[in-house]
Amino acid sequence: MEWIEVYIHEVTKRLPEKQRNDIALELKSSILDALPENYTLDDEKAVLADLGDPAEIAKNYRDAPSYLIGPDYYDLFMTTVKMILQLAIGFAIAYIVFEGVVTYLDSNQDWTYIFTVFGKGIWTVLSTAIQVVFWVAFVFIIMERTGVAPYEIAGTGAKWTPDDLKNITVIPKKKGITKVDIFAAFLWTAIWGSIYFFALDIVGIYTQNNQETGLTLLTPIFNQEFLLSFWPLVLIVLLCELTLTVYKWVKRQWTKSLATINTVYQLLYTIVFLLIILQPNLFHSDLINELSQIFNTTAANISSILDTIIGVSIAVTIISAVYASYDGFKKSKIKNDTLL
Amino acid sequence: MKELLHSLTTELKRGTLTLAVLSQLDQPQYGYSLVQNLEQSGIEIEQSTLYPLLRRLEKQELVTSSWDTTESRPRKYYQLSDYGKTIFAALKEEWTKMSTEMNLLLEGEKKNGMD
């Protein structure tokens, strides 16, 4: 008798409490039915062997699926995880680069600091990946249990027909946006953002000194305090740039809406750039003096050279903004190749 | 190869289990008697599959159950519900149709093979 009780307990302990009593009673009655009269321990064992592993029978009794994410959701789960992983890791890397550059410039780290950043980067990417997989899985497990069918959440919700094949297109190379483009864009934002916000004071004219430290700052180029007073505008530009990059990432190709957004961004960027660069006290007050000493010429000369540089930068910025906007629209007009 | 054959055979049988069980439940049956009945007809079904299957059929309202406490020990009896009878009849028809078609198909293959 004890053997049977232990066996039944092994089964029911794996089941929801509500069902335990009833299943225990039924199992016991079935087991006793299978036993001969005046049975021995060996008989009991034989019957139990026939019933098999308690875990197996408990699994058969359970109504809930014995998997976390079933075949219906698997594909969707994998696509979602991949997509979000890329985004999250991209952001993690951008953040690490940003933070690394800032810390490097802020405190007098030597070049081996790159290893610290690298190590931290690996750790951050790993923990980001774990977080992403966990949370996406969490959502899917809930969906699996609440029974939302995948096609109900998949965009159109319509059933597949052969005509859908006509919508399958290949993005032509010229129209597409590669991951390298995206990465470069994030990196660029991270670099200029960190220099602007944290390191304007060390962008400057350096001179070789005789000590081992190498370089001495003669004068910063820009008037940091003044430039930083524009920070809300610059922050807006930075956020727009990030948004644009994320949008590119999602679209993976130039479309009319992307080209429009791109144009708006280029316009905004150019306006802010002009607004800042045309200010009279853009440069550090020592700059002209130091430069005229270095090049052995008058302050007036240096100032006119600086004016020329400003003029050229303005021209280059405007031309490149116009070209980038135009290029976006041009690329967006390239037709996708259909396969049918 | 033996393993593959075994898993394919199991898969083939699995679909027919419900039908086999339903066919025996015109009269009230308890778990173990059902095992024996099926076994006598040459249909082997693991007890670990059958007992949970009975509960599932009950949940799907194809069978009803009642505890009989009159005998020496209580037994749970299962019997087809009216709904279960309808479903069983339909399934049976489906089975007859399918087995005829399958037989034709398999016979045909045999003939082709002999050519």
Side-chain angles (χ1 to χ4, degrees):
Chain A
M1 192 67 187
E2 272 167 26
W3 283 67
I4 298 171
E5 295 295 344
V6 175
Y7 181 88
I8 290 171
H9 179 72
E10 277 298 293
V11 177
T12 52
K13 78 174 187 191
R14 294 176 162 88
L15 296 171
E17 224 147 315
K18 275 191 292 179
Q19 304 176 10
R20 279 182 196 170
N21 272 336
D22 202 43
I23 289 177
L25 274 176
E26 194 181 352
L27 255 185
K28 192 172 166 186
S29 135
S30 298
I31 292 170
L32 292 177
D33 278 335
L35 285 168
E37 260 174 76
N38 304 321
Y39 54 85
T40 62
L41 180 60
D42 282 342
D43 293 330
E44 275 183 62
K45 282 191 192 174
V47 169
L48 295 183
D50 230 24
L51 271 167
D53 191 338
E56 182 68 20
I57 193 168
K59 193 187 86 189
N60 291 341
Y61 269 121
R62 263 199 309 264
D63 291 325
S66 37
Y67 48 78
L68 291 176
I69 295 166
D72 280 355
Y73 288 91
Y74 182 77
D75 282 346
L76 192 63
F77 170 71
M78 288 308 276
T79 352
T80 313
V81 163
K82 273 185 206 153
M83 169 113 191
I84 298 184
L85 258 189
Q86 285 176 12
L87 266 170
I89 290 178
F91 272 116
I93 291 174
Y95 169 75
I96 287 294
V97 171
F98 178 81
E99 210 214 358
V101 171
V102 169
T103 325
Y104 179 75
L105 296 172
D106 238 21
S107 52
N108 294 318
Q109 307 278 358
D110 66 13
W111 64 275
T112 54
Y113 182 64
I114 196 164
F115 293 116
T116 319
V117 173
F118 198 69
K120 229 168 113 189
I122 291 175
W123 175 240
T124 311
V125 166
L126 266 180
S127 51
T128 308
I130 292 169
Q131 287 276 336
V132 166
V133 173
F134 174 80
W135 286 108
V136 175
F138 185 76
V139 171
F140 269 82
I141 290 166
I142 290 176
M143 288 203 295
E144 175 72 67
R145 257 125 255 265
T146 49
V148 191
Y151 62 84
E152 283 173 40
I153 36 176
T156 62
K159 254 191 137 184
W160 184 87
T161 70
D163 279 338
D164 287 351
L165 291 176
K166 280 202 288 199
N167 299 331
I168 294 178
T169 53
V170 204
I171 302 169
K173 230 181 187 177
K174 277 188 185 161
K175 196 185 185 183
I177 298 164
T178 63
K179 290 198 177 113
V180 179
D181 296 338
I182 301 295
F183 184 75
F186 275 131
L187 199 63
W188 166 241
T189 311
I191 291 171
W192 76 253
S194 39
I195 291 177
Y196 173 81
F197 282 104
F198 304 101
L200 271 180
D201 53 333
I202 53 172
V203 179
I205 311 282
Y206 286 83
T207 178
Q208 196 103 37
N209 65 14
N210 298 327
Q211 282 144 23
E212 281 202 8
T213 43
L215 296 170
T216 318
L217 182 67
L218 276 179
T219 171
I221 294 178
F222 298 107
N223 182 348
Q224 182 183 30
E225 207 182 317
F226 176 71
L227 274 187
L228 278 181
S229 67
F230 290 96
W231 73 266
L233 276 178
V234 176
L235 188 66
I236 291 173
V237 172
L238 188 136
L239 291 178
C240 287
E241 195 171 285
L242 282 179
T243 315
L244 180 69
T245 312
V246 171
Y247 194 64
K248 279 182 183 171
W249 196 344
V250 175
K251 284 278 168 187
R252 296 200 346 257
Q253 57 176 315
W254 284 93
T255 61
K256 210 169 164 197
S257 61
L258 176 57
T260 312
I261 293 175
N262 180 50
T263 306
V264 171
Y265 161 75
Q266 297 290 348
L267 195 67
L268 177 79
Y269 166 82
T270 311
I271 289 172
V272 172
F273 180 79
L274 290 183
L275 190 73
I276 293 175
I277 205 171
L278 288 173
Q279 300 292 328
N281 33 5
L282 172 71
F283 294 111
H284 195 269
S285 49
D286 293 343
L287 183 71
I288 292 182
N289 262 338
E290 290 288 347
L291 282 178
S292 53
Q293 272 176 36
I294 293 169
F295 294 106
N296 219 351
T297 178
T298 62
N301 265 345
I302 293 295
S303 187
S304 75
I305 291 172
L306 285 180
D307 283 346
T308 315
I309 293 176
I310 289 177
V312 171
S313 322
I314 291 174
V316 167
T317 304
I318 291 178
I319 290 170
S320 64
V322 170
Y323 177 75
S325 310
Y326 163 76
D327 196 44
F329 279 107
K330 199 179 87 185
K331 283 178 174 167
S332 76
K333 288 212 178 94
I334 300 174
K335 281 241 156 58
N336 275 356
D337 307 325
T338 52
L339 293 169
L340 292 174
Chain B
M1 193 190 112
K2 211 174 155 191
E3 235 168 74
L4 180 64
L5 184 65
H6 179 75
S7 90
L8 287 174
T9 314
T10 314
E11 209 173 300
L12 199 57
K13 280 182 180 166
R14 196 183 302 144
T16 65
L17 277 185
T18 308
L19 188 57
V21 170
L22 289 178
S23 75
Q24 300 300 304
L25 290 178
D26 221 20
Q27 302 299 317
Q29 297 260 14
Y30 57 92
Y32 190 68
S33 69
L34 202 50
V35 174
Q36 285 180 314
N37 275 2
L38 288 169
E39 231 164 59
Q40 272 165 22
S41 318
I43 291 178
E44 269 180 51
I45 176 168
E46 303 268 347
Q47 294 177 68
S48 61
T49 312
L50 178 68
Y51 302 149
L53 175 62
L54 284 170
R55 284 186 78 88
R56 212 165 304 131
L57 293 175
E58 188 183 3
K59 211 179 162 195
Q60 291 168 336
E61 297 177 359
L62 296 174
V63 302
T64 52
S65 74
S66 54
W67 279 96
D68 177 15
T69 46
T70 52
E71 285 182 60
S72 58
R73 59 169 164 267
R75 276 178 182 147
K76 196 175 186 183
Y77 280 84
Y78 292 90
Q79 188 173 13
L80 279 182
S81 66
D82 286 342
Y83 178 54
K85 280 177 192 160
T86 321
I87 295 278
F88 171 60
L91 264 184
K92 199 165 129 185
E93 202 173 310
E94 202 61 46
W95 170 260
T96 318
K97 213 177 108 201
M98 205 168 78
S99 53
T100 318
E101 284 162 359
M102 277 309 285
N103 279 337
L104 271 173
L105 198 67
L106 296 176
E107 295 282 309
E109 190 215 35
K110 207 161 129 194
K111 257 187 234 157
N112 287 344
M114 275 154 69
D115 282 342

